[in-house]
Amino acid sequence: MGEPVPGAVELSDVGVRVVGRTLLAGVDWRVEYGEHWVVLGPNGAGKTTLLSLAAAVRHPTEGAVTVLGQRLGRVDLRELRRHIGLVAASQRLVDEELLEEEQATAHTVVLTGHTGTSVPLWDKYGPAEHERAHLLLADLGCKDLADRLFRVCSQGERARIRVARALMADPVILLLDEPFAGLDLPAREDLITAVENLAETRPALTTITVTHHLEEVPATTTHALLVRDARIQASGPVAEILTGENLSECFGRPLRVDHVDGRWSARALRV
Ligand SMILES: Nc1ncnc2c1ncn2[C@@H]1O[C@H](COP(=O)(O)OP(=O)(O)OP(=O)(O)O)[C@@H](O)[C@H]1O
């Protein structure tokens, strides 16, 4: 018998503890290449902690985390992170302010994703990189923003530019931590459409999206994971997991879940 084939992300009996507090406990989770996961759960449940393990930015206190076949703790995390795109919309890009001061355009911001730097390293970008940044902006539905100053772009435009930037390094895994936070309805829908298009045009890409709202779950989502009180409450194929019963238990109140045209919604049950 050969060695089992590693998944894109594998957590085995993982715990994360800080002094006096358990952030995650007993987590088993396996994400296969090409799957699209959504992670849901109440505030403080441990979603971002879980994503930070998959992003290879923190180590578990116990158990094993393997990302792209590399066991955390045994590999150079910086090298591993080159293959992982991370977008946290609620946080500003590292030194985004610097890019604003430098009068960076949307195109320049995307280019910096190639070098993983907070300022452009112009001698590292040839015609191929310039063209790729344009194509990625087009993929994200912001072709016309290329020459616009990033600092004047709207929240929704910035959200899509950040995803284009994360894709510039051609990551194997794309992690989106609350990418829809703070967006108005049209901006949210534009970003959801862009994420759905990515899933269709890049079948090999693996994505994990953390969100608070069922309405934000892209129709291309294949799997869902529910986190509650530092533990996995349910995980598996999206249609099996996003049920009224599971969501009610996860969020601690009776909820009705609807699934229409591939999109999800939830509301409190009136008694
Ligand atoms: N370094 C730390 N020290 C102490 N507590 C921490 C630390 N990091 C996170 N926590 C706590 O651990 C819990 C889980 O945090 P995490 O950010 O993973 O939750 P979350 O599910 O992403 O929450 P939210 O939906 O509010 O963003 C929270 O209660 C948080 O306050």
Side-chain angles (χ1 to χ4, degrees):
M1 253 181 22
E3 287 283 304
V5 179
V9 178
E10 279 183 72
L11 276 65
S12 174
D13 201 16
V14 162
V16 176
R17 281 174 234 292
V18 292
V19 182
R21 204 179 152 84
T22 297
L23 310 191
L24 286 175
V27 173
D28 290 307
W29 185 29
R30 184 179 165 102
V31 174
E32 303 291 352
Y33 288 93
E35 288 181 345
H36 302 292
W37 282 75
V38 67
V39 177
L40 286 150
N43 287 132
K47 303 181 295 297
T48 296
T49 307
L50 199 58
L51 210 65
S52 67
L53 294 169
V57 297
R58 85 181 296 163
H59 290 279
T61 318
E62 60 204 31
V65 177
T66 307
V67 180
L68 301 175
Q70 309 287 312
R71 170 89 179 259
L72 300 196
R74 294 189 187 157
V75 290
D76 176 357
L77 290 189
R78 276 174 312 173
E79 166 55 24
L80 185 54
R81 277 187 223 135
R82 286 160 53 89
H83 306 288
I84 303 166
L86 175 62
V87 178
S90 52
Q91 292 163 247
R92 298 165 72 84
L93 275 180
V94 190
D95 279 342
E96 215 164 70
E97 269 172 44
L98 211 59
L99 285 161
E100 289 180 12
E101 279 169 28
E102 296 265 318
Q103 306 276 327
T105 62
H107 184 259
T108 302
V109 170
V110 178
L111 272 176
T112 62
H114 180 66
T115 38
T117 52
S118 49
V119 289
L121 302 181
W122 291 110
D123 57 340
K124 305 273 189 202
Y125 313 137
E129 283 73 37
H130 283 266
E131 176 61 16
R132 185 167 159 69
H134 279 295
L135 289 174
L136 286 169
L137 281 170
D139 282 355
L140 271 294
C142 346
K143 185 160 59 90
D144 299 334
L145 298 180
D147 297 326
R148 193 165 304 172
L149 291 181
F150 184 67
R151 70 176 167 78
V152 305
C153 290
S154 72
Q155 295 287 352
E157 290 163 350
R158 283 173 182 234
R160 283 181 284 149
I161 293 164
R162 290 185 186 113
V163 176
R165 181 182 187 274
L167 291 170
M168 193 63 197
D170 205 9
V172 181
I173 306 179
L174 180 64
L175 304 174
L176 304 169
D177 193 1
E178 295 182 37
F180 312 105
L183 303 189
D184 70 11
L185 188 62
R188 181 191 82 181
E189 291 300 304
D190 285 348
L191 185 54
I192 289 173
T193 302
V195 170
E196 291 171 350
N197 289 342
L198 287 180
E200 271 153 23
T201 55
R202 291 171 167 73
L205 185 68
T206 306
T207 66
I208 304 173
T209 303
V210 169
T211 175
H212 281 123
H213 303 292
L214 241 57
E215 290 72 9
E216 297 173 348
V217 175
T220 44
T221 302
T222 59
H223 291 76
L225 179 129
L226 304 183
V227 192
R228 185 179 185 186
D229 292 341
R231 294 185 171 273
I232 304 291
Q233 188 219 315
S235 107
V238 65
E240 287 173 26
I241 301 302
L242 298 187
T243 61
E245 193 182 351
N246 281 342
L247 269 296
S248 301
E249 195 184 328
C250 185
F251 287 96
R253 66 165 60 191
L255 296 171
R256 176 195 160 119
V257 170
D258 291 304
H259 188 207
V260 177
D261 293 338
R263 295 285 298 279
W264 304 82
S265 62
R267 60 190 160 94
L269 270 182
R270 296 187 193 275
V271 282

